[in-house]
Amino acid sequence: MTRTITHFVDGAARPGNGGRTAPVMNPSTGREQARVELASAAEVDEVIANAEQAQVGWAKTNPQKRIRIIMKWISLINDNIDELARTLSLEHGKTFEDAKGDIARGTDVLEFSVGAPHFLKGEFSNSVGTGIDVYSMRQPLGVVAGITPFNFPAMIPLWKAGPALAAGNAFVLKPSERDPSVPVRLAELFIEAGGPAGVFNVVHGDKESVDAILDSEVIQAVGFVGSTPIAKYIYERCAATGKRAQCFGGAKNHMIILPDADLDSAVDALVGAAYGSAGERCMAISVAVPVGKETADALRAKLEERIPDLKVGHSLDPEASYGPVVAKPALDRISQLIDEGEAAGAELVVDGRGRGANDAEFDGESLADGYFIQPTLFDNVTTDMSIYTEEIFGPVLCIVRANDFEEAFRLPDEHVYGNGVAIFTRNGRAAREFADRIRVGMIGVNVPIPVPIAYHTFGGWKASGFGDLNQHGPDSFRFYTRTKTVTQRWPDGVATGADFSMPIMD
């Protein structure tokens, strides 16, 4: 019988009422491995109501006690990381080691959240006026929600849930229906760590569920990661209903390679950043910008030499460089964009279409129907082509040649997306100028995927991010709390009469 993935509510699995389900596929084989229940709007409202009841007691819990639960949660996640990574690989398609990295980067933020008692401290001013003191305190918002993508089914839910829970909120997670098992397991481990029932609920669904979250009067804030059109939709709808929102969208990340760069190091970095996880990362490098013909020709030659060494295979194959993409529609879209690039006149140096996995089977399972695409390389791409303007979200790398530094600089600076960018050079002055001027949220200098560590914020600019506060780092506690300011005086019992003027502190 096909396994059914249920919602997780009030500390336990909760079967749905509506009967709607969606398939959960194994991308390596193209076969269905489970069904996930899809909640109706009424069911989402019930989940939110349960969280609202649980949040009151959780907010009253001493922050240090909340943190001890999160510390235990971290320990349980680490104890179960192999199980989590295997499940993640089989539903998403990324390799086992890559899946472990997905989980580890999530627990990094949980570890940062252990500092919640410090981040929740307010401010105090003594004697701002005669006998008058002022202090502020940071308090949780109440019930908050995360709507998270398929490409990081552990990391991004933990990025959202960790700071939200540490700050005293209840958290409702709507994960991707494509790979929902790991988010449910993370919620189970939170309960095993001692977390109260109802504080971390998981509800599965589609647009109906998302809209129910956005329209709820109880939900106070929404964190989202996904495509730019949906990020913009969620941001606007949250604004209309008075919710806080941090919404992160698409990307088109460039790597600038200056003539003085260590080209072998740049190629190593580029191959991993472009083709790792089948290109299904919001921080993947999809555009290489070599400066000067000599640099471009040498870069292309080295890429042509390296790409055939990559192995595309089953997500649990320890020899695989990367696995399948997540779904057949994703595979079809990537292939269509490659078609468009070729038709537009870009030079298709390495064509990955229709070539499947390197092996016919793995562990007795046929890979013939898996969602595999081999690494693809274009050269002489121009800025009017769809393979340059659109986020492909697949293992496709475009070379856009630039004559000089300024021409190279303008490419990421003027692109509609502004998530991440990298520059490879030995010239410190050029790198410093680049980092200072570029209109992109995250910059790598001789680092291919400039993902900040947990105590620095993560977020893009322009069409890559909507909202003024980013994920993790200090911004996360600012996002999931609000400040209350108290002005207090303890009178001595002597009446002074009414004052109808604006008070002046003296």
Side-chain angles (χ1 to χ4, degrees):
M1 292 181 63
T2 302
R3 178 171 59 98
T4 299
I5 302 167
T6 65
H7 314 298
F8 187 83
V9 185
D10 201 26
R14 176 174 293 184
N17 301 324
R20 292 192 309 133
T21 64
V24 178
M25 309 300 290
N26 182 333
S28 294
T29 64
R31 291 197 293 272
E32 182 178 312
Q33 57 182 319
R35 304 288 299 186
V36 60
E37 297 187 312
L38 304 178
S40 65
E43 288 176 291
V44 174
D45 289 342
E46 291 175 7
V47 173
I48 293 170
N50 175 264
E52 184 180 27
Q53 290 182 334
Q55 190 270 335
V56 177
W58 180 241
K60 291 180 179 179
T61 301
N62 182 299
Q64 287 181 276
K65 292 182 179 178
R66 295 199 298 260
I67 292 312
R68 290 180 190 129
I69 292 171
I70 289 178
M71 291 171 66
K72 178 63 175 176
W73 191 22
I74 295 168
S75 178
L76 288 173
I77 292 172
N78 289 331
D79 289 346
N80 290 274
I81 193 168
D82 285 352
E83 169 216 331
L84 290 164
R86 187 178 189 279
T87 301
L88 197 159
S89 292
L90 290 174
E91 290 188 355
H92 173 275
K94 66 177 66 178
T95 64
F96 179 76
E97 290 301 320
D98 194 21
K100 289 176 74 172
D102 184 329
I103 298 160
R105 290 308 297 260
T107 55
D108 284 351
V109 172
L110 292 186
E111 290 170 351
F112 173 78
S113 300
V114 170
H118 171 74
F119 290 111
L120 298 176
K121 289 191 303 185
E123 299 174 320
F124 183 88
S125 293
N126 183 62
S127 296
V128 298
T130 303
I132 298 175
D133 306 322
V134 175
Y135 67 92
S136 64
M137 46 186 164
R138 303 198 72 88
Q139 295 185 322
L141 300 178
V143 182
V144 299
I147 302 169
T148 57
F150 74 84
N151 62 323
F152 284 99
M155 183 182 78
I156 295 179
L158 291 175
W159 280 7
K160 306 293 187 187
L165 292 168
N169 299 284
F171 186 72
V172 175
L173 173 63
K174 206 300 288 182
S176 170
E177 63 275 20
R178 288 175 171 174
D179 43 14
S181 292
V182 168
V184 171
R185 185 69 181 122
L186 292 173
E188 292 173 348
L189 292 174
F190 176 76
I191 296 298
E192 289 182 33
V199 168
F200 185 179
N201 289 337
V202 181
V203 60
H204 307 293
D206 49 15
K207 186 177 185 297
E208 181 177 350
S209 301
V210 169
D211 286 345
I213 289 171
L214 301 181
D215 293 341
S216 169
E217 295 182 357
V218 175
I219 297 292
Q220 299 298 303
V222 175
F224 170 80
V225 178
S227 69
T228 288
I230 299 176
K232 191 169 184 289
Y233 168 79
I234 290 176
Y235 185 72
E236 291 173 347
R237 194 145 175 171
C238 284
T241 55
K243 295 176 178 57
R244 291 188 182 183
Q246 49 174 204
C247 300
F248 298 95
K252 198 70 178 179
N253 306 315
H254 297 61
M255 179 192 287
I256 313 298
I257 302 103
L258 297 188
D260 67 340
D262 181 332
L263 203 56
D264 288 325
S265 296
V267 169
D268 285 343
L270 190 53
V271 167
Y275 300 121
S277 198
E280 292 180 319
R281 295 170 176 157
C282 66
M283 293 301 293
I285 295 293
S286 54
V287 181
V289 186
V291 176
K293 184 178 186 304
E294 183 178 343
T295 305
D297 290 345
L299 177 73
R300 170 174 163 167
K302 286 181 179 291
L303 286 170
E304 288 185 85
E305 181 182 333
R306 289 290 308 279
I307 287 174
D309 294 335
L310 302 182
K311 180 181 180 182
V312 181
H314 192 285
S315 59
L316 296 181
D317 184 348
E319 297 181 358
S321 305
Y322 68 83
V325 296
V326 71
K328 183 65 163 56
L331 179 63
D332 292 342
R333 181 179 181 276
I334 295 164
S335 298
Q336 176 62 35
L337 283 164
I338 296 172
D339 292 345
E340 292 176 10
E342 189 176 27
E347 183 181 356
L348 186 55
V349 181
V350 180
D351 186 357
R353 291 172 296 184
R355 289 165 52 202
N358 289 65
D359 298 326
E361 63 176 39
F362 177 80
D363 199 24
E365 290 187 302
S366 171
L367 306 183
D369 295 324
Y371 313 135
F372 296 100
I373 184 165
Q374 293 283 333
T376 297
L377 177 65
F378 279 103
D379 193 5
N380 295 302
V381 174
T382 57
T383 58
D384 59 334
M385 296 176 180
S386 62
I387 55 172
Y388 178 77
T389 59
E390 294 189 31
E391 182 179 37
I392 301 174
F393 225 58
V396 181
L397 177 62
C398 299
I399 297 176
V400 180
R401 296 176 176 232
N403 293 314
D404 53 35
F405 174 85
E406 285 299 327
E407 183 180 347
F409 176 88
R410 287 195 297 272
L411 290 167
D413 191 62
E414 295 176 357
H415 202 283
V416 64
Y417 293 119
N419 204 46
V421 68
I423 184 169
F424 273 66
T425 180
R426 291 187 175 95
N427 187 325
R429 181 178 179 180
R432 186 174 186 274
E433 179 184 352
F434 182 85
D436 183 60
R437 288 172 51 198
I438 196 77
R439 291 179 295 169
V440 174
M442 292 172 284
I443 298 98
V445 177
N446 299 317
V447 174
I449 302 180
V451 179
I453 55 178
Y455 38 93
H456 286 267
T457 60
F458 179 107
W461 289 12
K462 297 182 282 190
S464 294
F466 300 86
D468 61 343
L469 291 173
N470 288 333
Q471 300 175 100
H472 61 73
D475 272 8
S476 60
F477 282 96
R478 298 186 187 107
F479 181 75
Y480 288 118
T481 61
R482 53 185 151 214
T483 303
K484 180 180 289 182
T485 302
V486 180
T487 304
Q488 69 175 12
R489 177 173 67 90
W490 299 102
D492 56 12
V494 178
T496 58
D499 188 349
F500 298 98
S501 302
M502 175 64 70
I504 299 173
M505 297 300 182
D506 54 17

